[in-house]
Structures are given as C-alpha cells and as structure tokens.
Amino acid sequence: MTSRERVLKTLNHQEPDRVPIDIGGMRSTGIGALAYKKLRKYLDLDDRPIKLYDVWQQLAWIDDDVLEYFHADVRSIERLHSVWWDPDIRLDKWKEGKLTDGTKVLVPEGFNPVKEGKFFVLRNKKGQIVAKRSEDGLYYDHVGIYHPLREAKDKIELKKMYKDLFPDGQNITSEEQIYLRNEAKKLRETTDYALLAWFGGSLYEMGQYLRGYEQWFVDIAEDEDKKIASSLLDLLLEDYLKALDTFINTIGDNADIIGFGGDDLGMQTGPQISPVTYRKLFKPRHKEMWDFVKQKSNYKIFLHSCGSITKLLPDIIEAGADIINPVHINAKDMEPEKLKKEFGRNVVFWGGGCDTQKILPQGNLKDIEEDVKKNIFIFAPEGGFVFAPVHNIQPDIPPEKIVKIYESAYKYGKQIYPT
C-alpha cells in the first residue's frame, strides 16, 4: 500500500498491510529540536540546518530523510503563522537562531526573543510580553503572562475587547491562502503521504489563552448568570466557521484529515470539566464546526485533547470526531484495553503507542520495545490505530531510544495483520 492508502484504510476501521506511523504529522507527534539534532547525528545523516517551526515547544521540522528512515506515513500541511498572537512569526521566511545549548538552527524570521534579566522574552507589536523562557529553559511559557481579554467584566466589554484584538476576525488572509494552496498541492503531487491539514479551531483552550486559566474556570462556572463563557465561545465559533470555509476551499481535495485543537480537556486524574459542562458549552459548538467540515469535504476530523478524557469521549464522538490524539494511556481511565473495547469501533486512536511520561524517559530499550509491542497488539486489531508516542519526544531523550520506538513500531506493526 501507499502511505495514503494505508492511513485511509485504518481511518475507516479496516486492517491495512501494517500499522501506519506518524512522526511530526502534527505538533504533538514530533521531536524536540535538541533531541532531533542528536538523532540525525546518530543516524549518520547529513548535517543540514534544523528548522525550529514550533517556537513555543521548540520542535524540529522532521526532514524527509528521517521520515523515510522510520517508514512514516503522514505529513502536515501547516498554517502560515507559527503562533496565533503574532502574524510575523511565519513559516515561509527563515533566519539563523540558536537552541538553548547554542546549536545554530533556522527560526521563523519574525521570531525575535530579547534577553531581559534571566529570561528571553517575546513581545507583541504593542510591546506586551506574550511568552518567555529562562536562560536554560527548554520551552517558551505563556501561562499567566498574556491573556488579553482577562479584564473584561461582562459580555459587552468582552465583545468590544475581542473585536479590538481581532479586528479582521480570524479569517485566512489572501497571502496565507496562497501559501496553503501551494503547500497542499506540492505535497499531494510529489508524495504519497496521507496529509493532515492543521486548522486549529480551539474552543476550550483558546478560552484559557484569552481569559487566563483561573478566570476561564470562573467564567464556565458562572456562565448561567454572566454568559461570558458563552459569549466568547460564540465569537470564536463565528470566526472559525468563516475561516473553515476559506480553509477548505483553499486546500480542496489535497488533504485527507483536518486537525482541531489543542483543546486539552483532560488532566492526569480526569476531565478538567464535567460531561454536563462539555455537553452544554462545548459539544454543540464542536458539532457545528465538524458538521460544517463534513458537509463541505471528505476530511476526517482529528481532535487533539490531552489527559484523561474517557468520560467525555462518548460526547466527543457523537459531536463528530473521527480521530483522538494523543491518547494519554497512563492517565486515569485511559488504559489501552479499556479504550479499545469501549470506543474502538467508533473512533481512531492516533497515539498511545509508547508511554512518553514514564517508560520512555525512565525505562531501558527493552522496556520501550515491550511497551510499543503491547500497545500495538491492543490498539491495532480491526484497524483504527495510527502509531505515535503519547505526545512529543522531549529534548533529553537519547537517540537510541527514539530509534527503538519507531523500529519497534515498524516491526510489530507488520506482524499484527495477516499477509
């Protein structure tokens, strides 16, 4: 099978020739740039410049030679802008930058952190700090730093502040349309990968960004009276539907999957919100977006939602999600056997292939191989499984462990299906 045929077959809950593999097909199945640098050297691949395409998480763009080495089946169609709060941090213009250890890499041209005291800070055009990292930090943090709608006291003030923040809505500019159209067309015509077009469209998590984490919980709890959460979600939904129309018309049939999120609804111990709250505030809006996509395209709906979301999965599936990622198998109630038995016929598990929280950092090579084998033999029968570890491979993971993950995935992914 071609990669595209292999992925589409498993997305339709049929058994392909082997388990499909994803490395960097979206921003939660990738590799930290520091680990990626060591991986390329370990594999004796050429010393090409590493592209730091996700500046928050410090993720490397996975090159074709690595994708081919590990038998990857998915490529991403990325939005032009790397982050929502700065249109100048874009993925079509690059310059030289450095990682924490001094390694030279390519970074988006508009990525301009400034050293202030013990931190590197990013500022928007108004001079506000929107993210920062410590001198030896591995990521840029935004929590508690930039929440531009936090001070709105009622839904009227919220709407005004939202319109000031997004005066043109959140639609896709003509410049981005050209970029997306060209990228999608090039990948479709020159590769046989399955293509995942990342849209975004976050509801729950965008509320956290715009209002602040604590205030967003308060907004949700007080929505019956103040309607601030509902008002913000309606503003987001209105803009997302317009942007979706443009996005789908721009990419057309040159994609197979559309990515939504992050909408991290879970914690280690359970959902961040109750099923009742999800049904009331988020499910109808997810459903409206996903129904719109299915009316206009043949894309499969991919939702990224971290943590323990088992209690929310029936409603997420009913709302229209075809695929769930990253499948946090070591969170409460997220055991692979339980997930496959209860939901395996109705949703695709994209992830959960290797425990990146405990086994990958703390285990040995044998532990990693056994974990990959176990998870494949649980998730893969009757299709409905794309192999990826649980979230990104972190910067301190040595290359021999990374190689063991994907070599094991290929080895056991071929064994699981009859020839």
Side-chain angles (χ1 to χ4, degrees):
M1 289 183 177
T2 66
S3 287
R4 186 186 182 203
E5 291 169 342
R6 182 175 299 119
V7 172
L8 291 180
K9 192 155 190 175
T10 205
L11 296 188
N12 288 321
H13 296 271
Q14 299 170 340
E15 294 188 348
D17 56 341
R18 65 166 173 84
V19 172
I21 295 172
D22 173 24
I23 310 171
M26 50 86 62
R27 296 190 187 197
S28 297
T29 62
I31 304 176
L34 286 170
Y36 186 69
K37 177 192 73 169
K38 296 174 184 176
L39 175 65
R40 291 194 62 84
K41 184 177 181 180
Y42 182 84
L43 296 176
D44 197 27
L45 299 173
D46 63 76
D47 188 23
R48 65 180 64 179
I50 294 172
K51 284 186 174 180
L52 192 75
Y53 84 105
D54 186 311
V55 297
W56 277 19
Q57 300 183 92
Q58 301 280 282
L59 295 177
W61 182 256
I62 310 299
D63 297 289
D64 287 341
D65 53 0
V66 174
L67 295 177
E68 291 167 8
Y69 186 92
F70 290 126
H71 309 281
D73 295 294
V74 183
R75 282 286 298 267
S76 65
I77 302 169
E78 287 287 325
R79 297 286 296 267
L80 175 59
H81 307 296
S82 182
V83 291
W84 65 268
W85 40 261
D86 192 338
D88 292 332
I89 302 179
R90 43 193 284 174
L91 301 182
D92 62 341
K93 297 180 180 180
W94 301 86
K95 65 180 182 181
E96 188 175 281
K98 291 182 180 180
L99 299 178
T100 303
D101 69 348
T103 298
K104 291 181 180 179
V105 294
L106 295 177
V107 299
E109 193 175 87
F111 179 62
N112 297 305
V114 176
K115 183 75 181 301
E116 296 185 10
K118 295 183 178 181
F119 292 91
F120 289 92
V121 303
L122 295 169
R123 294 181 181 271
N124 61 17
K125 290 183 177 181
K126 294 181 179 180
Q128 300 165 306
I129 296 177
V130 294
K132 65 181 181 181
R133 73 167 176 86
S134 60
E135 290 176 306
D136 58 352
L138 298 174
Y139 319 97
Y140 277 84
D141 188 15
H142 62 275
V143 176
I145 297 172
Y146 179 61
H147 304 296
L149 306 186
R150 178 164 48 192
E151 302 306 318
K153 298 298 187 292
D154 55 46
K155 62 181 184 180
I156 296 173
E157 187 178 8
L158 178 86
K159 183 175 182 179
K160 181 182 183 306
M161 292 174 68
Y162 179 93
K163 296 295 185 182
D164 289 342
L165 183 66
F166 301 112
D168 300 318
Q170 296 191 53
N171 208 344
I172 299 169
T173 65
S174 57
E175 187 177 29
E176 185 174 13
Q177 289 175 50
I178 294 170
Y179 173 82
L180 285 170
R181 186 178 295 112
N182 290 341
E183 286 293 301
K185 187 172 186 291
K186 178 183 70 176
L187 286 169
R188 183 61 100 207
E189 292 179 351
T190 62
T191 78
D192 65 5
Y193 289 110
L195 300 182
L196 196 168
W198 189 256
F199 175 71
S202 167
L203 294 174
Y204 181 77
E205 205 161 310
M206 187 58 81
Q208 292 175 325
Y209 293 158
L210 296 175
R211 289 288 282 165
Y213 286 65
E214 292 181 9
Q215 186 57 53
W216 186 233
F217 281 123
V218 173
D219 292 340
I220 290 171
E222 294 182 340
D223 191 67
E224 196 69 38
D225 298 319
K226 295 189 175 182
K227 301 296 183 185
I228 289 179
S230 293
S231 297
L232 178 54
L233 291 171
D234 286 340
L235 290 166
L236 291 170
L237 179 62
E238 180 181 6
D239 279 354
Y240 289 160
L241 289 172
K242 293 176 183 176
L244 271 172
D245 191 46
T246 305
F247 189 82
I248 295 169
N249 288 336
T250 299
I251 293 176
D253 294 333
N254 290 323
D256 307 297
I257 306 147
I258 183 169
F260 284 84
D263 258 336
D264 294 346
L265 296 165
M267 304 178 291
Q268 188 73 30
T269 56
Q272 293 189 35
I273 56 175
S274 70
V276 171
T277 298
Y278 177 76
R279 289 182 205 119
K280 179 182 176 184
L281 289 176
F282 299 96
K283 181 179 178 179
R285 295 170 175 92
H286 273 153
K287 180 172 172 51
E288 188 167 349
M289 285 194 294
W290 299 342
D291 282 350
F292 182 84
V293 170
K294 293 185 178 186
Q295 290 163 8
K296 287 187 64 71
S297 74
N298 292 318
Y299 302 160
K300 296 290 187 179
I301 305 293
F302 178 114
L303 176 66
H304 171 82
S305 190
C306 287
S308 174
I309 59 170
T310 300
K311 292 179 180 178
L312 304 178
L313 271 178
D315 289 295
I316 290 172
I317 294 168
E318 193 172 286
D322 300 301
I323 303 161
I324 289 294
N325 162 270
V327 197
H328 267 123
I329 55 175
N330 51 5
K332 185 179 180 182
D333 297 326
M334 293 285 286
E335 298 85 0
E337 298 89 346
K338 175 184 177 72
L339 292 174
K340 184 68 174 181
K341 180 179 179 180
E342 294 187 17
F343 307 107
R345 294 181 181 274
N346 300 311
V347 74
V348 172
F349 298 107
W350 191 303
C354 179
D355 172 9
T356 51
Q357 187 173 353
K358 295 180 180 178
I359 290 178
L360 181 60
Q362 299 171 19
N364 57 33
L365 297 182
K366 183 178 179 181
D367 295 330
I368 292 167
E369 181 171 355
E370 287 301 313
D371 191 52
V372 169
K373 177 182 178 181
K374 173 178 71 72
N375 293 324
I376 284 177
F377 275 74
I378 292 170
F379 279 124
E382 299 181 353
F385 178 58
V386 176
F387 180 89
V390 180
H391 225 287
N392 294 315
I393 294 171
Q394 298 302 301
D396 60 345
I397 301 300
E400 58 270 22
K401 287 190 173 184
I402 300 174
V403 170
K404 180 58 70 174
I405 292 171
Y406 296 107
E407 286 187 347
S408 300
Y410 185 67
K411 174 182 176 180
Y412 296 108
K414 290 193 298 180
Q415 292 181 12
I416 187 68
Y417 300 127
T419 57

